[in-house]
Each structure stands twice: as C-alpha cells, then as structure tokens.
Amino acid sequence: MKCFVLIDLKIGDLTHQDLGQMQMYVHYYERELMNEGDNPPIGIVLCADKSESVVKYTLPENETQIFASKYKLYLPSEEELLQELQREYRALEYDKEKSN
C-alpha cells in the first residue's frame, strides 16, 4: 500500500482536539503532498487512554483514514501479539464476508 502514514503520539488522554488536528494533517497531505498513484494518507493517534465516545462523536461514521488507539507502556509477549493479530484477522474476514 503506497500512502503516507501520519502518527501522533499523545502522552495524555485522547481529546476531540487531537482527532481534529489529525484530520487537518490528513487533509493537508491529501491536498498538498500526495503523488499520482498514492493511496489516501492514514492518520494514527496513539494516546495514554481513549474514550470510545470521543472517537464516535468526533470522527465521521465509516471513517477509514483516521484511527485512535491506546498504547501500552510495555511490549506484548510474542504470544499476546500473535493472539491480537489472529483476532484482527478474524474481524477483517468477518467484515469482508459481511460486505459480500
């Protein structure tokens, strides 16, 4: 996937301002820095804690370019990482089947 990936690391809790700031960055890259053949940029906001309601009411429904996630202060074990990857893979497969 050829695209810009913008990452913003926040030391505090996620706010609607953080998401708005990332939206601005993503739109800037879309309008000013994308080259022919690039996919739309992706924005990732990593924060100490996130409120699902802040994400739900700040970002448009079906947002596909901006993501918010809580980070951990330690690296997961190999087993934990593998379980998370498998969980995400199953979710993607379910969404794929659901859309067909």
Side-chain angles (χ1 to χ4, degrees):
M1 179 185 325
K2 183 181 174 199
C3 70
F4 288 102
V5 177
L6 312 169
I7 300 174
D8 193 3
L9 178 62
K10 301 292 184 180
I11 59 172
D13 295 352
L14 182 71
T15 67
H16 68 279
Q17 292 95 333
D18 298 329
L19 294 173
Q21 183 179 33
M22 182 55 75
Q23 283 179 311
M24 183 192 74
Y25 294 155
V26 166
H27 293 307
Y28 173 80
Y29 272 75
E30 276 181 326
R31 295 174 186 156
E32 303 296 331
L33 298 174
M34 278 182 61
N35 298 306
E36 188 174 325
D38 285 353
N39 289 307
I42 295 172
I44 301 171
V45 180
L46 297 173
C47 53
D49 200 6
K50 80 169 187 177
S51 163
E52 292 298 331
S53 60
V54 168
V55 175
K56 178 180 178 180
Y57 293 114
T58 302
L59 295 176
E61 289 184 32
N62 302 320
E63 175 62 57
T64 60
Q65 287 179 266
I66 299 175
F67 303 92
S69 185
K70 178 180 174 179
Y71 61 78
K72 295 183 178 187
L73 297 177
Y74 64 91
L75 293 174
S77 70
E78 187 175 335
E79 182 179 318
E80 289 171 321
L81 189 56
L82 182 58
Q83 288 174 353
E84 183 63 26
L85 288 171
Q86 290 171 342
R87 190 172 24 256
E88 287 298 320
Y89 179 76
R90 286 191 299 271
L92 287 170
E93 287 297 311
Y94 174 78
D95 288 344
K96 187 177 176 182
E97 290 175 9
K98 189 175 160 184
S99 67
N100 288 333

XYZ file of all heavy atoms in Angstrom:
827
model
N 0.852 -1.157 0.000
C 0.000 0.000 0.000
C 0.904 1.228 0.000
O 1.671 1.432 0.925
C -0.904 -0.005 1.224
C -1.737 1.207 1.211
S -2.821 1.647 2.491
C -3.643 0.627 3.348
N 0.810 2.032 -1.016
C 1.642 3.227 -1.125
C 0.841 4.427 -0.618
O -0.064 4.917 -1.293
C 2.062 3.434 -2.575
C 2.975 4.604 -2.766
C 3.332 4.781 -4.224
C 4.131 6.058 -4.363
N 4.147 6.541 -5.718
N 1.178 4.864 0.588
C 0.497 6.027 1.154
C 1.322 6.600 2.297
O 2.207 5.942 2.830
C -0.904 5.676 1.651
S -0.936 4.635 3.114
N 1.028 7.840 2.641
C 1.626 8.443 3.824
C 0.924 7.886 5.048
O -0.294 7.721 5.054
C 1.441 9.965 3.823
C 2.295 10.682 2.815
C 1.754 11.129 1.620
C 3.635 10.933 3.070
C 2.531 11.803 0.704
C 4.416 11.593 2.157
C 3.872 12.037 0.958
N 1.683 7.610 6.106
C 1.113 7.205 7.390
C 1.582 8.225 8.410
O 2.778 8.373 8.647
C 1.554 5.781 7.800
C 0.993 5.424 9.172
C 1.114 4.769 6.755
N 0.641 8.958 8.978
C 0.933 10.003 9.951
C 0.649 9.464 11.339
O -0.443 8.954 11.593
C 0.066 11.231 9.675
C 0.048 11.692 8.210
C -1.039 12.726 7.989
C 1.396 12.222 7.824
N 1.615 9.576 12.233
C 1.458 9.049 13.591
C 1.670 10.178 14.585
O 2.653 10.903 14.507
C 2.453 7.908 13.867
C 2.214 6.773 12.872
C 2.323 7.409 15.306
C 3.218 5.655 12.952
N 0.721 10.322 15.499
C 0.797 11.341 16.546
C 0.741 10.628 17.891
O -0.221 9.923 18.182
C -0.379 12.311 16.399
C -0.237 13.565 17.232
O 0.804 13.735 17.900
O -1.173 14.383 17.204
N 1.776 10.786 18.685
C 1.848 10.148 19.995
C 1.499 11.178 21.064
O 2.168 12.200 21.188
C 3.255 9.585 20.240
C 3.513 8.921 21.585
C 2.615 7.715 21.774
C 4.982 8.510 21.679
N 0.434 10.924 21.806
C -0.029 11.820 22.869
C 0.260 11.198 24.222
O 0.019 10.006 24.421
C -1.544 12.071 22.742
C -1.971 12.678 21.422
C -1.453 14.088 21.294
C -1.953 14.731 20.023
N -1.475 16.090 19.867
N 0.765 11.993 25.156
C 1.085 11.441 26.475
C -0.127 11.420 27.402
O -0.095 10.761 28.429
C 2.254 12.200 27.146
C 1.918 13.671 27.316
C 3.528 12.013 26.367
C 2.955 14.434 28.138
N -1.194 12.081 27.020
C -2.390 12.115 27.857
C -3.551 11.378 27.224
O -3.391 10.623 26.268
N -4.734 11.618 27.760
C -5.952 11.021 27.229
C -6.306 11.654 25.894
O -6.013 12.823 25.646
C -7.111 11.218 28.204
C -6.908 10.473 29.516
O -5.951 9.681 29.613
O -7.703 10.695 30.448
N -6.985 10.898 25.049
C -7.419 11.376 23.742
C -8.488 12.449 23.902
O -9.414 12.303 24.695
C -7.976 10.204 22.929
C -8.434 10.533 21.522
C -7.222 10.827 20.633
C -9.242 9.384 20.952
N -8.363 13.531 23.126
C -9.381 14.584 23.111
C -9.893 14.776 21.689
O -9.250 14.338 20.725
C -8.805 15.931 23.606
O -7.844 16.399 22.650
C -8.162 15.789 24.984
N -11.042 15.443 21.571
C -11.558 15.716 20.231
C -10.617 16.653 19.470
O -10.526 16.590 18.249
C -12.987 16.272 20.296
C -13.100 17.626 20.888
N -13.115 17.855 22.250
C -13.187 18.835 20.304
C -13.216 19.153 22.471
N -13.256 19.767 21.313
N -9.858 17.476 20.177
C -8.885 18.340 19.520
C -7.784 17.518 18.859
O -7.309 17.871 17.769
C -8.259 19.337 20.511
C -9.223 20.379 21.024
C -9.853 19.989 22.361
O -9.993 18.817 22.690
N -10.264 20.973 23.127
N -7.363 16.435 19.510
C -6.333 15.563 18.930
C -6.810 14.971 17.602
O -6.061 14.920 16.625
C -5.978 14.423 19.885
C -5.399 14.903 21.204
O -4.730 15.958 21.222
O -5.620 14.216 22.220
N -8.052 14.522 17.577
C -8.603 13.940 16.355
C -8.779 14.995 15.276
O -8.509 14.747 14.095
C -9.923 13.233 16.647
C -9.801 12.005 17.554
C -11.181 11.473 17.920
C -8.967 10.927 16.900
N -9.220 16.188 15.667
C -9.358 17.287 14.705
C -8.015 17.684 14.115
O -7.905 17.962 12.917
N -7.001 17.695 14.950
C -5.653 18.016 14.478
C -5.190 16.973 13.459
O -4.642 17.316 12.414
C -4.696 18.067 15.664
C -3.283 18.463 15.308
C -2.390 18.508 16.550
O -2.578 17.739 17.497
N -1.449 19.423 16.552
N -5.433 15.702 13.745
C -5.042 14.655 12.807
C -5.832 14.767 11.508
O -5.285 14.559 10.420
C -5.222 13.273 13.433
C -4.791 12.138 12.516
S -3.089 12.252 11.883
C -2.162 11.787 13.340
N -7.111 15.125 11.593
C -7.899 15.324 10.373
C -7.266 16.417 9.512
O -7.180 16.285 8.290
C -9.342 15.707 10.707
C -10.185 14.544 11.140
C -11.601 14.971 11.474
O -11.817 15.923 12.215
N -12.558 14.261 10.927
N -6.821 17.495 10.145
C -6.174 18.573 9.409
C -4.909 18.070 8.725
O -4.663 18.352 7.556
C -5.839 19.740 10.342
C -5.236 20.928 9.604
S -4.523 22.149 10.697
C -3.036 21.314 11.224
N -4.087 17.308 9.439
C -2.856 16.774 8.857
C -3.164 15.879 7.655
O -2.525 15.970 6.611
C -2.064 15.952 9.883
C -1.507 16.718 11.044
C -1.247 16.072 12.251
C -1.223 18.083 10.968
C -0.710 16.750 13.333
C -0.697 18.767 12.054
C -0.444 18.094 13.230
O 0.078 18.765 14.304
N -4.135 14.986 7.807
C -4.501 14.066 6.731
C -4.976 14.840 5.508
O -4.569 14.561 4.379
C -5.563 13.054 7.216
C -6.214 12.323 6.059
C -4.928 12.051 8.187
N -5.837 15.838 5.722
C -6.336 16.634 4.592
C -5.218 17.430 3.926
O -5.184 17.569 2.701
C -7.464 17.568 5.032
C -8.709 16.835 5.437
N -9.338 15.911 4.643
C -9.438 16.886 6.570
C -10.391 15.426 5.256
N -10.469 16.002 6.445
N -4.290 17.936 4.722
C -3.150 18.661 4.157
C -2.348 17.736 3.243
O -2.017 18.108 2.116
C -2.261 19.225 5.266
C -0.983 19.835 4.727
C -0.982 21.110 4.179
C 0.210 19.114 4.741
C 0.180 21.665 3.657
C 1.374 19.658 4.224
C 1.353 20.934 3.684
O 2.505 21.460 3.163
N -2.029 16.542 3.734
C -1.255 15.603 2.923
C -2.020 15.209 1.664
O -1.431 15.079 0.597
C -0.872 14.363 3.740
C 0.424 14.544 4.481
C 0.493 15.330 5.621
C 1.590 13.950 4.032
C 1.688 15.509 6.306
C 2.789 14.116 4.705
C 2.834 14.906 5.839
O 4.013 15.083 6.497
N -3.347 15.039 1.782
C -4.168 14.707 0.608
C -4.060 15.790 -0.457
O -3.911 15.504 -1.630
C -5.642 14.582 1.002
C -6.048 13.260 1.532
C -7.524 13.223 1.875
O -8.094 14.243 2.311
O -8.103 12.150 1.717
N -4.158 17.031 -0.037
C -4.236 18.151 -0.985
C -2.887 18.672 -1.452
O -2.785 19.213 -2.547
C -5.036 19.283 -0.354
C -6.469 18.857 -0.121
C -7.269 19.875 0.620
N -8.587 19.329 0.913
C -9.355 19.733 1.882
N -8.942 20.695 2.690
N -10.534 19.189 2.077
N -1.860 18.524 -0.650
C -0.585 19.158 -0.968
C 0.567 18.207 -1.276
O 1.485 18.584 -1.995
C -0.158 20.080 0.187
C -1.174 21.151 0.544
C -1.416 22.156 -0.578
O -0.494 22.404 -1.377
O -2.550 22.674 -0.658
N 0.561 17.005 -0.728
C 1.755 16.164 -0.819
C 1.559 14.824 -1.525
O 2.538 14.135 -1.796
C 2.323 15.920 0.583
C 2.769 17.187 1.321
C 3.165 16.862 2.742
C 3.909 17.867 0.594
N 0.317 14.449 -1.806
C 0.094 13.169 -2.475
C 0.597 13.230 -3.911
O 0.495 14.247 -4.576
C -1.398 12.815 -2.483
C -1.875 12.201 -1.195
S -3.630 11.742 -1.230
C -3.679 10.558 -2.556
N 1.151 12.121 -4.363
C 1.592 11.984 -5.746
C 0.621 11.083 -6.485
O -0.140 10.325 -5.876
C 2.992 11.373 -5.794
C 4.013 12.245 -5.107
O 4.142 13.417 -5.420
N 4.734 11.675 -4.153
N 0.666 11.135 -7.798
C -0.189 10.276 -8.598
C 0.097 8.820 -8.243
O 1.249 8.412 -8.113
C 0.078 10.509 -10.078
C -0.894 9.796 -10.979
C -0.711 10.156 -12.441
O -0.365 11.315 -12.730
O -0.905 9.257 -13.257
N -0.937 8.046 -8.032
C -0.783 6.646 -7.677
C -0.759 6.384 -6.184
O -0.808 5.235 -5.765
N -0.665 7.445 -5.369
C -0.697 7.273 -3.917
C -2.116 6.953 -3.457
O -3.084 7.467 -4.001
C -0.259 8.549 -3.190
C 1.232 8.790 -3.233
O 1.962 7.906 -3.704
O 1.654 9.878 -2.795
N -2.221 6.131 -2.434
C -3.494 5.934 -1.752
C -3.660 7.062 -0.743
O -2.684 7.701 -0.352
C -3.505 4.576 -1.038
C -3.593 3.431 -2.018
O -4.471 3.395 -2.857
N -2.657 2.503 -1.934
N -4.888 7.309 -0.292
C -5.098 8.377 0.689
C -4.259 8.149 1.946
O -4.041 6.998 2.344
C -6.592 8.292 1.012
C -7.197 7.609 -0.163
C -6.142 6.665 -0.674
N -3.794 9.224 2.572
C -2.993 9.090 3.794
C -3.816 8.509 4.937
O -5.036 8.626 4.964
C -2.546 10.514 4.105
C -3.478 11.391 3.364
C -3.988 10.620 2.202
N -3.108 7.909 5.872
C -3.723 7.330 7.062
C -3.165 8.058 8.272
O -1.958 8.291 8.357
C -3.404 5.826 7.166
C -4.034 5.077 6.000
C -3.864 5.256 8.503
C -3.613 3.629 5.909
N -4.028 8.434 9.196
C -3.607 9.083 10.428
C -3.847 8.181 11.621
O -4.927 7.606 11.761
N -2.837 8.052 12.463
C -2.947 7.221 13.671
C -2.608 8.090 14.875
O -1.546 8.700 14.910
C -1.987 6.019 13.606
C -2.294 5.150 12.388
C -2.058 5.209 14.897
C -1.260 4.063 12.137
N -3.528 8.145 15.834
C -3.288 8.868 17.079
C -3.148 7.830 18.186
O -4.076 7.067 18.445
C -4.441 9.841 17.412
C -4.148 10.582 18.709
C -4.681 10.825 16.274
N -1.967 7.780 18.809
C -1.724 6.881 19.934
C -1.764 7.706 21.209
O -1.138 8.761 21.278
C -0.362 6.199 19.783
C -0.212 5.299 18.558
C 1.232 4.818 18.432
C -1.168 4.121 18.626
N -2.506 7.244 22.195
C -2.701 8.036 23.415
C -2.650 7.143 24.648
O -2.747 5.922 24.549
C -4.029 8.770 23.339
S -5.410 7.680 22.990
N -2.501 7.784 25.812
C -2.449 7.038 27.071
C -3.778 6.354 27.368
O -3.822 5.267 27.929
C -2.063 7.970 28.221
N -4.879 6.983 26.984
C -6.206 6.390 27.160
C -7.142 7.027 26.151
O -6.963 8.183 25.775
C -6.717 6.609 28.576
C -7.819 5.623 28.949
O -8.102 4.698 28.148
O -8.398 5.767 30.036
N -8.129 6.277 25.709
C -9.083 6.833 24.753
C -10.499 6.514 25.186
O -10.766 5.475 25.772
C -8.829 6.322 23.342
C -9.373 4.956 23.052
C -9.308 4.646 21.563
C -10.016 3.331 21.313
N -10.072 2.966 19.939
N -11.359 7.437 24.895
C -12.778 7.277 25.160
C -13.451 6.947 23.831
O -13.312 7.689 22.870
C -13.349 8.571 25.736
O -14.754 8.573 25.639
N -14.163 5.820 23.789
C -14.854 5.433 22.556
C -15.858 6.501 22.138
O -16.050 6.740 20.950
C -15.553 4.088 22.735
C -14.611 2.918 22.885
C -13.722 2.668 21.677
O -14.121 2.981 20.535
O -12.606 2.170 21.882
N -16.478 7.189 23.100
C -17.462 8.212 22.739
C -16.791 9.428 22.100
O -17.365 10.049 21.203
C -18.306 8.622 23.949
O -17.497 9.141 24.966
N -15.573 9.779 22.522
C -14.851 10.879 21.876
C -14.595 10.524 20.415
O -14.809 11.341 19.515
C -13.524 11.201 22.607
C -12.649 12.133 21.784
C -13.794 11.805 23.974
N -14.164 9.298 20.169
C -13.910 8.860 18.797
C -15.211 8.837 18.006
O -15.293 9.364 16.893
C -13.238 7.462 18.776
C -13.092 6.945 17.353
C -11.891 7.510 19.481
N -16.250 8.255 18.587
C -17.535 8.097 17.896
C -18.140 9.432 17.481
O -18.640 9.575 16.367
C -18.513 7.352 18.811
C -19.888 7.169 18.222
C -20.794 6.422 19.184
C -22.195 6.281 18.631
N -23.069 5.561 19.551
N -18.085 10.424 18.356
C -18.752 11.682 18.061
C -17.857 12.728 17.409
O -18.337 13.754 16.957
C -19.395 12.240 19.338
C -20.526 11.350 19.803
C -20.439 10.654 21.001
C -21.653 11.168 19.028
C -21.453 9.819 21.412
C -22.673 10.334 19.429
C -22.580 9.660 20.618
O -23.583 8.830 21.023
N -16.560 12.472 17.342
C -15.658 13.416 16.686
C -15.444 13.057 15.223
O -15.469 13.931 14.356
C -14.290 13.472 17.408
O -14.500 13.836 18.766
C -13.370 14.482 16.755
N -15.238 11.774 14.950
C -14.960 11.357 13.578
C -16.255 11.004 12.852
O -17.207 10.529 13.472
C -14.032 10.139 13.587
C -12.631 10.372 14.151
C -11.864 9.060 14.198
C -11.882 11.408 13.338
N -16.280 11.220 11.535
C -17.460 10.818 10.768
C -17.670 9.307 10.822
O -16.721 8.553 11.037
C -17.126 11.253 9.336
C -15.931 12.120 9.418
C -15.252 11.825 10.713
N -18.913 8.870 10.619
C -19.179 7.439 10.560
C -18.429 6.856 9.376
O -18.208 7.519 8.381
C -20.677 7.187 10.409
C -21.455 7.505 11.668
C -22.923 7.155 11.543
O -23.254 6.190 10.831
O -23.728 7.859 12.166
N -18.030 5.617 9.487
C -17.295 4.912 8.436
C -15.961 5.559 8.099
O -15.513 5.520 6.964
C -18.150 4.773 7.175
C -19.444 4.030 7.446
O -19.463 3.066 8.192
N -20.524 4.501 6.865
N -15.326 6.186 9.078
C -14.003 6.791 8.879
C -12.998 5.697 8.531
O -12.923 4.685 9.220
C -13.561 7.521 10.155
C -12.176 8.087 10.108
C -11.981 9.137 9.032
O -12.717 10.137 9.045
O -11.113 8.943 8.176
N -12.261 5.890 7.448
C -11.300 4.875 7.020
C -9.871 5.389 6.987
O -8.971 4.648 6.606
C -11.652 4.352 5.617
O -11.631 5.433 4.690
C -13.012 3.681 5.605
N -9.673 6.651 7.367
C -8.338 7.222 7.264
C -7.725 7.593 8.607
O -6.522 7.786 8.691
C -8.370 8.477 6.384
C -8.555 8.172 4.910
C -8.608 9.434 4.101
O -9.684 9.938 3.847
N -7.458 9.950 3.743
N -8.535 7.723 9.654
C -8.019 8.154 10.948
C -8.385 7.118 12.004
O -9.530 6.690 12.103
C -8.566 9.539 11.335
C -8.122 10.568 10.294
C -8.093 9.944 12.733
C -8.679 11.946 10.495
N -7.375 6.750 12.790
C -7.560 5.730 13.814
C -6.981 6.235 15.129
O -5.983 6.949 15.145
C -6.849 4.438 13.408
C -7.306 3.912 12.074
C -6.639 4.282 10.916
C -8.397 3.077 11.971
C -7.061 3.820 9.673
C -8.823 2.610 10.739
C -8.151 2.984 9.590
N -7.615 5.851 16.223
C -7.115 6.201 17.555
C -6.989 4.917 18.356
O -7.852 4.047 18.294
C -8.073 7.165 18.252
N -5.905 4.827 19.100
C -5.697 3.633 19.901
C -4.932 3.974 21.165
O -4.119 4.891 21.179
C -4.930 2.582 19.103
O -4.832 1.392 19.846
N -5.212 3.210 22.193
C -4.497 3.343 23.464
C -3.192 2.571 23.350
O -3.173 1.441 22.865
C -5.369 2.763 24.576
C -4.753 2.780 25.935
C -5.713 2.175 26.940
C -5.056 2.051 28.291
N -5.965 1.497 29.283
N -2.104 3.186 23.756
C -0.834 2.470 23.729
C -0.541 1.854 25.086
O -1.108 2.228 26.094
C 0.318 3.363 23.273
C 0.601 4.575 24.144
C 1.287 4.465 25.339
C 0.190 5.839 23.736
C 1.555 5.575 26.117
C 0.457 6.959 24.508
C 1.139 6.826 25.696
O 1.399 7.919 26.461
N 0.330 0.892 25.074
C 0.747 0.228 26.309
C 2.167 0.665 26.634
O 2.950 0.972 25.748
C 0.696 -1.288 26.140
C -0.718 -1.794 25.913
C -0.757 -3.296 25.827
C -2.191 -3.751 25.641
N -2.330 -5.191 25.706
N 2.484 0.686 27.886
C 3.810 1.106 28.320
C 4.809 -0.046 28.306
O 5.929 0.101 28.767
C 3.734 1.728 29.712
C 2.882 3.001 29.796
C 2.819 3.498 31.228
C 3.438 4.077 28.881
N 4.410 -1.175 27.792
C 5.307 -2.320 27.686
C 5.018 -3.027 26.376
O 3.941 -2.895 25.810
C 5.113 -3.276 28.857
C 3.738 -3.896 28.890
C 3.484 -5.109 28.255
C 2.676 -3.263 29.539
C 2.222 -5.667 28.266
C 1.407 -3.821 29.549
C 1.191 -5.024 28.911
O -0.061 -5.571 28.910
N 5.965 -3.783 25.896
C 5.757 -4.567 24.689
C 5.028 -5.855 25.042
O 5.338 -6.487 26.049
C 7.094 -4.904 24.030
C 7.854 -3.723 23.449
C 9.226 -4.188 22.967
C 7.074 -3.105 22.312
N 4.055 -6.245 24.212
C 3.365 -7.506 24.480
C 4.308 -8.680 24.217
O 5.268 -8.570 23.460
C 2.203 -7.495 23.484
C 2.631 -6.567 22.406
C 3.548 -5.560 23.033
N 3.973 -9.799 24.833
C 4.758 -11.006 24.572
C 4.463 -11.469 23.144
O 3.484 -11.039 22.520
C 4.384 -12.113 25.561
O 3.066 -12.578 25.280
N 5.285 -12.357 22.649
C 5.073 -12.886 21.294
C 3.709 -13.567 21.201
O 3.001 -13.417 20.214
C 6.190 -13.857 20.946
C 6.166 -14.322 19.515
C 7.350 -15.193 19.143
O 8.413 -15.072 19.786
O 7.206 -15.994 18.211
N 3.326 -14.288 22.245
C 2.041 -14.974 22.258
C 0.877 -13.964 22.244
O -0.088 -14.134 21.507
C 1.935 -15.877 23.489
C 0.640 -16.664 23.543
C 0.558 -17.567 24.761
O 1.581 -18.200 25.095
O -0.518 -17.613 25.368
N 0.968 -12.906 23.048
C -0.078 -11.886 23.074
C -0.200 -11.204 21.716
O -1.304 -10.944 21.236
C 0.221 -10.833 24.139
C 0.071 -11.314 25.564
C 0.584 -10.299 26.570
O 1.627 -9.652 26.325
O -0.083 -10.160 27.614
N 0.928 -10.925 21.100
C 0.924 -10.277 19.792
C 0.297 -11.191 18.746
O -0.526 -10.745 17.938
C 2.351 -9.903 19.404
C 2.518 -9.041 18.183
C 1.722 -7.747 18.283
C 3.989 -8.725 17.958
N 0.632 -12.453 18.765
C 0.055 -13.411 17.835
C -1.454 -13.523 18.030
O -2.217 -13.539 17.063
C 0.717 -14.778 18.001
C 0.251 -15.873 17.050
C 0.464 -15.473 15.597
C 0.975 -17.176 17.352
N -1.917 -13.565 19.276
C -3.356 -13.630 19.555
C -4.070 -12.391 19.025
O -5.155 -12.487 18.448
C -3.599 -13.776 21.054
C -3.238 -15.133 21.604
C -3.353 -15.188 23.123
O -3.579 -14.194 23.795
N -3.188 -16.391 23.665
N -3.467 -11.236 19.212
C -4.079 -9.987 18.727
C -4.144 -9.968 17.203
O -5.155 -9.568 16.627
C -3.293 -8.772 19.244
C -3.888 -7.456 18.855
C -5.273 -7.193 19.423
O -5.606 -7.752 20.485
O -6.037 -6.426 18.795
N -3.091 -10.405 16.550
C -3.088 -10.468 15.088
C -4.161 -11.424 14.582
O -4.864 -11.126 13.611
C -1.712 -10.881 14.569
C -0.618 -9.841 14.685
C 0.732 -10.457 14.333
C -0.898 -8.645 13.791
N -4.304 -12.562 15.231
C -5.333 -13.529 14.836
C -6.735 -12.954 15.051
O -7.623 -13.136 14.223
C -5.156 -14.835 15.602
C -3.924 -15.602 15.187
C -3.622 -16.789 16.080
O -4.114 -16.882 17.211
N -2.798 -17.701 15.588
N -6.927 -12.252 16.149
C -8.220 -11.625 16.446
C -8.558 -10.582 15.370
O -9.674 -10.537 14.858
C -8.176 -11.007 17.839
C -9.488 -10.535 18.366
C -9.490 -10.102 19.827
N -8.224 -9.684 20.396
C -7.471 -10.414 21.233
N -7.862 -11.616 21.593
N -6.343 -9.949 21.721
N -7.583 -9.758 15.001
C -7.797 -8.750 13.963
C -8.064 -9.395 12.608
O -8.920 -8.945 11.856
C -6.588 -7.813 13.867
C -6.470 -6.841 15.017
C -7.644 -5.892 15.115
O -8.137 -5.414 14.067
O -8.096 -5.622 16.244
N -7.345 -10.460 12.303
C -7.543 -11.170 11.041
C -8.971 -11.720 10.955
O -9.636 -11.581 9.938
C -6.515 -12.293 10.899
C -6.685 -13.081 9.623
C -6.262 -12.558 8.406
C -7.271 -14.351 9.637
C -6.426 -13.272 7.234
C -7.433 -15.064 8.475
C -7.012 -14.532 7.269
O -7.178 -15.236 6.114
N -9.440 -12.336 12.041
C -10.811 -12.862 12.057
C -11.828 -11.748 11.879
O -12.815 -11.901 11.161
C -11.075 -13.637 13.353
C -10.400 -14.996 13.409
C -10.907 -15.835 14.584
N -10.645 -15.213 15.877
C -9.544 -15.382 16.601
N -8.587 -16.172 16.156
N -9.403 -14.792 17.760
N -11.596 -10.598 12.507
C -12.512 -9.464 12.378
C -12.543 -8.955 10.939
O -13.608 -8.636 10.406
C -12.112 -8.346 13.340
N -11.390 -8.888 10.304
C -11.324 -8.441 8.907
C -12.042 -9.423 7.986
O -12.762 -9.019 7.074
C -9.878 -8.269 8.462
C -9.139 -7.070 9.025
C -7.648 -7.162 8.682
C -9.721 -5.772 8.501
N -11.838 -10.715 8.216
C -12.508 -11.738 7.413
C -14.028 -11.657 7.595
O -14.785 -11.777 6.641
C -11.998 -13.133 7.779
C -10.612 -13.415 7.267
C -10.529 -13.395 5.755
O -11.376 -14.042 5.099
O -9.608 -12.733 5.221
N -14.470 -11.435 8.833
C -15.904 -11.309 9.118
C -16.482 -10.099 8.382
O -17.524 -10.200 7.740
C -16.138 -11.190 10.618
C -17.570 -10.924 10.975
C -18.511 -11.954 10.955
C -17.996 -9.638 11.316
C -19.839 -11.728 11.266
C -19.326 -9.396 11.629
C -20.246 -10.434 11.593
O -21.555 -10.191 11.895
N -15.786 -8.965 8.446
C -16.246 -7.758 7.761
C -16.292 -7.965 6.246
O -17.207 -7.501 5.577
C -15.348 -6.566 8.085
C -15.530 -6.071 9.514
O -16.543 -6.440 10.154
O -14.653 -5.318 9.989
N -15.297 -8.684 5.739
C -15.243 -8.967 4.291
C -16.434 -9.819 3.867
O -17.080 -9.548 2.868
C -13.924 -9.668 3.969
C -13.652 -9.879 2.530
C -12.283 -10.521 2.346
C -11.984 -10.854 0.921
N -10.689 -11.520 0.771
N -16.722 -10.876 4.644
C -17.858 -11.751 4.339
C -19.177 -10.998 4.473
O -20.102 -11.199 3.679
C -17.856 -12.962 5.266
C -16.743 -13.939 5.002
C -16.697 -15.072 6.011
O -17.641 -15.194 6.831
O -15.711 -15.819 5.999
N -19.265 -10.145 5.455
C -20.494 -9.380 5.711
C -20.798 -8.420 4.573
O -21.949 -8.203 4.221
C -20.312 -8.614 7.029
C -21.535 -7.955 7.551
C -21.228 -7.350 8.908
C -22.222 -6.293 9.257
N -21.891 -5.631 10.505
N -19.753 -7.831 3.967
C -19.958 -6.860 2.885
C -20.270 -7.524 1.549
O -20.706 -6.872 0.631
C -18.748 -5.949 2.754
O -17.617 -6.679 2.316
N -20.020 -8.827 1.428
C -20.305 -9.534 0.143
C -21.708 -10.008 0.075
O -22.577 -10.007 0.625
C -19.368 -10.728 -0.041
C -17.961 -10.260 -0.353
O -17.779 -9.191 -0.888
N -16.997 -11.080 0.003
